[in-house]
Amino acid sequence: MECRLGCGACCIAPSISSPIPGMPNGKPAGVRCIQLNDDNLCKLFGKPERPKVCGHFKPCPSVCGTSNQEALDTITELENIT
């Protein structure tokens, strides 16, 4: 599955414990990453300072669903149960 450009669910819903430029303590679940631009695209994509956890996330139908909202809902639910 290819990532839906402009979705941003994986940059909002999950907590990220790794430092992110501008967010040295990572980010809590449900908080928009400071590196997510107005078009919901990662400003660090392809750069070495992007957290490894972000680079390792691979979109898949069971997590991302068929819409941005479905992805946000599913990732939020997964975050809540883990």
Side-chain angles (χ1 to χ4, degrees):
M1 173 178 185
E2 292 293 319
C3 187
R4 278 190 302 277
L5 291 180
C7 174
C10 61
C11 303
I12 300 168
S15 61
I16 298 175
S17 58
S18 305
I20 301 165
M23 300 179 102
N25 297 316
K27 67 166 230 54
V31 172
R32 183 180 178 84
C33 179
I34 197 167
Q35 296 299 331
L36 195 61
N37 72 16
D38 291 340
D39 294 321
N40 280 349
L41 300 174
C42 178
K43 295 186 266 185
L44 298 178
F45 191 84
K47 295 183 178 179
E49 58 269 24
R50 184 177 183 213
K52 288 183 183 187
V53 66
C54 299
H56 287 122
F57 178 81
K58 302 296 180 223
C60 67
S62 63
V63 174
C64 300
T66 59
S67 70
N68 298 356
Q69 187 61 53
E70 191 175 345
L72 187 63
D73 293 344
T74 301
I75 297 171
T76 297
E77 181 179 351
L78 291 170
E79 178 70 27
N80 287 336
I81 61 175
T82 58

